[in-house]
Amino acid sequence: MPKIPSPSDGARIAYDVTGSGPAVVLLHGSVLSRAIWRAYGYVDALKSDRTVIRIDLRGHGRSDAPHEASAYTQDAFVADLMAVLDAEGIERAALIGYSLGARIAITAAVRRPERVTHLVSLGGSASAQQGSVDTVFFPGTVQTLRSEGMDGFCQAQGLGPEVSGRRDRGTRTAFLAADPLAMAALFTATETTPGIPDAELSACPVPALWMAGDRDHPRFEESERAAALMPDARFVPLPGRTHAATLAPAEPILEQVLPMLDAASSSTSSSTPSPASTRQESA
């Protein structure tokens, strides 16, 4: 698996590439890793006729995990994304992001629209993020991470060692693999992330699909509002889903995403990935 230094601070960003065709980048949520996309079936659904790039966001998976909040700005995340595209010789790509990954995809589409063919936001938000961490997780998230580590973080969400459901066990395993001080730094930075101005959303030409669970508040309302502001966007609700349940099952999401990408492939040409993109995905 390649790792490249970020132009923002030199942090090494891990990613993998599989498939061939127009490029699609998958950006996971907080405390997860690129593995989530394969586990839920997104990679298999996309790789037959697309180049699929999965990135471990800084602080996650096999990427470097700084312990300073200053390392987790949207500027840094977007710089990491652009560095991966440049390393693979990809001029433009579709971006599919969940939660934190959605915010990065949204920011990239607004700031670098010439590099983004399509935006898919899953449980995302363009709003200011103050208070969002304790809403998505639990009150006192940062303090718990610093004092009790990932085990305390899991316990506070009802994900102790006694959990039996497949999804809960998988989530607990993923969370326990994270660096608690890196997550505390990330969430500290998240609390100061400003909203994307309405004028910038309204001026963004990137075709966009916003999806959120109707039990995911306030992300549901924030996604619906952002989609209404963008000139070429639509909002599709995910009935019965909370924020944590946004990605699975994947089929209702892929039913919306695949036709969108297929239509784009038939009418426009994304740049052809370089030979480096023949690398195969790893775990």
Side-chain angles (χ1 to χ4, degrees):
M1 179 198 315
K3 288 187 179 183
I4 59 168
S6 172
S8 66
D9 58 5
R12 294 173 302 162
I13 306 303
Y15 68 96
D16 63 20
V17 183
T18 190
S20 62
V24 180
V25 181
L26 304 179
L27 302 165
H28 62 79
S30 300
V31 208
L32 298 170
S33 75
R34 75 191 194 288
I36 195 74
W37 299 108
R38 187 173 66 175
Y40 286 157
Y42 288 85
V43 174
D44 285 343
L46 291 165
K47 70 180 182 181
S48 60
D49 53 5
R50 297 172 183 83
T51 298
V52 180
I53 303 163
R54 298 185 302 166
I55 300 176
D56 274 339
L57 301 177
R58 56 173 53 224
H60 301 78
R62 298 186 184 180
S63 291
D64 286 353
H67 289 176
E68 302 78 30
S70 59
Y72 295 96
T73 65
Q74 286 294 304
D75 287 340
F77 283 120
V78 172
D80 298 345
L81 168 60
M82 295 301 148
V84 170
L85 294 181
D86 290 345
E88 292 298 317
I90 296 171
E91 293 181 7
R92 306 180 72 215
L95 306 180
I96 301 176
Y98 163 56
S99 195
L100 170 62
R103 183 52 176 258
I104 297 165
I106 297 160
T107 304
V110 167
R111 295 183 182 176
R112 301 296 305 274
E114 76 283 1
R115 304 295 303 269
V116 183
T117 62
H118 287 80
L119 161 68
V120 178
S121 168
L122 305 174
S125 172
S127 301
Q129 295 298 288
Q130 184 176 8
S132 66
V133 172
D134 287 358
T135 298
V136 170
F137 294 103
F138 55 88
T141 297
V142 171
Q143 293 84 348
T144 297
L145 284 165
R146 288 176 175 161
S147 62
E148 301 178 38
M150 297 312 303
D151 187 63
F153 178 83
C154 288
Q155 292 279 5
Q157 296 177 90
L159 294 172
E162 72 282 356
V163 295
S164 58
R166 180 179 178 183
R167 181 183 297 174
D168 285 348
R169 290 199 312 270
T171 301
R172 174 177 164 82
T173 299
F175 284 0
L176 288 175
D179 180 328
L181 295 182
M183 293 303 95
L186 166 66
F187 291 147
T188 298
T190 298
E191 286 291 304
T192 63
T193 300
I196 297 173
D198 288 357
E200 293 185 15
L201 289 171
S202 298
C204 181
V206 176
L209 171 64
W210 293 73
M211 303 183 78
D214 61 8
R215 296 174 58 197
D216 181 7
H217 306 291
R219 297 295 175 91
F220 182 90
E221 294 80 7
E222 292 169 349
S223 294
E224 186 174 30
R225 180 178 185 276
L229 287 168
M230 296 182 72
D232 188 5
R234 61 193 179 99
F235 173 72
V236 177
L238 294 168
R241 299 200 194 192
T242 62
H243 189 71
T246 299
L247 293 182
E251 288 74 18
I253 293 172
L254 291 167
E255 286 172 2
Q256 300 292 328
V257 171
L258 293 177
M260 177 186 186
L261 298 180
D262 288 341
S265 298
S266 63
S267 61
T268 62
S269 58
S270 299
S271 63
T272 302
S274 68
S277 294
T278 59
R279 301 187 187 101
Q280 293 300 302
E281 63 179 302
S282 56

